Amino acid sequence: MGAPSNSWRALAGFLGIAAGVALLFALVSMVALRPRDALAWVRVPDLAADLRVDAGLQTKPLKETVVAAVLQDLALDGATGSGLAVAPALVVTQPPAVAINTSPATRPVATPNPAQPGPTATPSPGPAPTPTPTAAPTPTPTPAPTPTPTPAPTPVPTPAPTPSPTPAPTPKPQFAIRWAGELVNKSKNNGNGGRCSQTTVTGTGGFTTNGVGGSVSYQWVRVDNQGKRTIGASGTIQVAAGDTNLHGVTSDTFTPVHSGSDQLVFLSPAYSVPAQSWNCVG
């Protein structure tokens, strides 16, 4: 009978110790939630969009008494110049949210109680600054290509008019005899047997020119059958320009010694006619 009594005592002692431990945890929890501890859970804004992490927050409403205590403590902190700030979310009439997930972005804010000195709570670092989005560089607009100016057409040089060649002056034709002729006659000696001493020879002639005009000089040349050469009548005739008429020369009249010929010779312009002969008895 002694053994069962000890078991019940041991069981009662274990239950008593368990109840004491539970009571101790309850007291600690109550102390932790008392307003004088100036501890409150605040809601950290969602930084997932800025830090690109999942905040993983889950909220739970706080009691109105806790919110009132926190506001009172914050008012006192403002009077002492501690410089701590509270998120505007705690001032609204809706019940604040308490964080129950240990996210890197969530930290308890310790509010010192001026009535009870205690360890100074390390202020929670504020939310990381939101990185300013870097504006994408504006692409430099491609300048419109400048149209290449059309070069002005090069004027075709007008060829200088070729001067008409000055016609060479027509050389003035030289003064010339166009035609000349002669006639040699012998007179009859009335039955004297045709003796030269009783014969008279007469040479007549004439000429025309090309009309240029100039001076004509001439002479009669006699040659007998003995080879003797004799210059007969001669002269110079001036012919006007444009004159193409027949001009006669001085007749050559003489008494021959021997038979022979008589010829009209032009010295200037040079020209000659065939000689004509006569016969007589010397």
Side-chain angles (χ1 to χ4, degrees):
M1 295 299 292
S5 177
N6 291 332
S7 297
W8 283 106
R9 289 177 182 177
L11 179 59
F14 178 76
L15 294 177
I17 293 173
V21 172
L23 179 61
L24 179 61
F25 275 106
L27 292 176
V28 172
S29 299
M30 291 178 63
V31 171
L33 295 177
R34 291 183 63 182
R36 65 173 176 270
D37 292 338
L39 296 178
W41 291 94
V42 297
R43 181 179 179 182
V44 178
D46 185 8
L47 301 179
D50 296 333
L51 302 180
R52 297 182 180 178
V53 295
D54 186 7
L57 296 179
Q58 296 180 2
T59 59
K60 181 178 181 181
L62 294 177
K63 294 182 179 181
E64 295 182 1
T65 58
V66 177
V67 175
V70 171
L71 293 177
Q72 181 180 2
D73 293 339
L74 290 177
L76 295 176
D77 291 340
T80 57
S82 63
L84 293 178
V86 65
L90 294 176
V91 189
V92 297
T93 57
Q94 295 179 358
V98 61
I100 61 174
N101 188 7
T102 58
S103 173
T106 305
R107 295 290 186 275
V109 179
T111 304
N113 188 356
Q116 180 180 357
T120 304
T122 303
S124 175
T130 303
T132 304
T134 304
T138 303
T140 303
T142 303
T146 304
T148 303
T150 303
T154 304
V156 179
T158 303
T162 303
S164 301
T166 303
T170 304
K172 184 178 181 180
Q174 294 181 353
F175 180 56
I177 295 175
R178 179 174 295 176
W179 175 90
E182 69 173 12
L183 180 61
V184 176
N185 292 321
K186 181 184 71 172
S187 64
K188 295 180 180 181
N189 55 10
N190 297 322
N192 291 327
R195 297 189 65 86
C196 290
S197 57
Q198 298 176 349
T199 302
T200 301
V201 177
T202 302
T204 59
F207 65 92
T208 61
T209 65
N210 59 0
V212 174
S215 178
V216 177
S217 59
Y218 64 92
Q219 65 183 4
W220 290 92
V221 178
R222 308 168 193 163
V223 179
D224 61 13
N225 55 5
Q226 300 299 318
K228 182 181 178 180
R229 181 184 178 88
T230 303
I231 300 301
S234 62
T236 300
I237 300 175
Q238 189 70 31
V239 180
D243 185 0
T244 59
N245 296 323
L246 177 63
H247 295 272
V249 299
T250 302
S251 299
D252 184 27
T253 301
F254 61 95
T255 299
V257 178
H258 302 284
S259 298
S261 65
D262 198 5
Q263 183 181 16
L264 177 62
V265 178
F266 294 91
L267 303 177
S268 176
Y271 196 85
S272 63
V273 297
Q276 292 186 4
S277 60
W278 74 90
N279 293 317
C280 63
V281 178

